[in-house]
Amino acid sequence: MSGVDFTRVDGLGVLTVQIILCEVGLDPSRFPTVKHFTSWLGAMSLAVALLVARLKVLKLAQ
């Protein structure tokens, strides 16, 4: 365990924390700084947004 209750952060619910931990794991050493982590997190959000937009376009094309 990490010893930190991430759900205490405003805006992070249990499901969101579980998803982040599944993607990142409990070893944060792959991110040298907080800036690296937030950059990765932003890139993942952008990737999801682009995927959702693409799926909407494909649905409209049917």
Side-chain angles (χ1 to χ4, degrees):
M1 296 294 276
S2 65
V4 176
D5 182 3
F6 292 108
T7 60
R8 303 269 327 242
V9 176
D10 288 338
L12 293 183
V14 173
L15 183 58
T16 303
V17 171
Q18 288 175 339
I19 292 169
I20 292 171
L21 289 176
C22 284
E23 292 291 331
V24 176
L26 293 175
D27 180 17
S29 65
R30 69 186 256 199
F31 304 105
T33 66
V34 170
K35 190 172 184 176
H36 285 90
F37 175 70
T38 56
S39 175
W40 173 84
L41 196 57
M44 295 311 299
S45 297
L46 177 60
V48 169
L50 291 173
L51 177 62
V52 168
R54 179 71 176 148
L55 291 173
K56 287 180 181 179
V57 168
L58 290 173
K59 184 177 179 182
L60 291 174
Q62 292 179 350

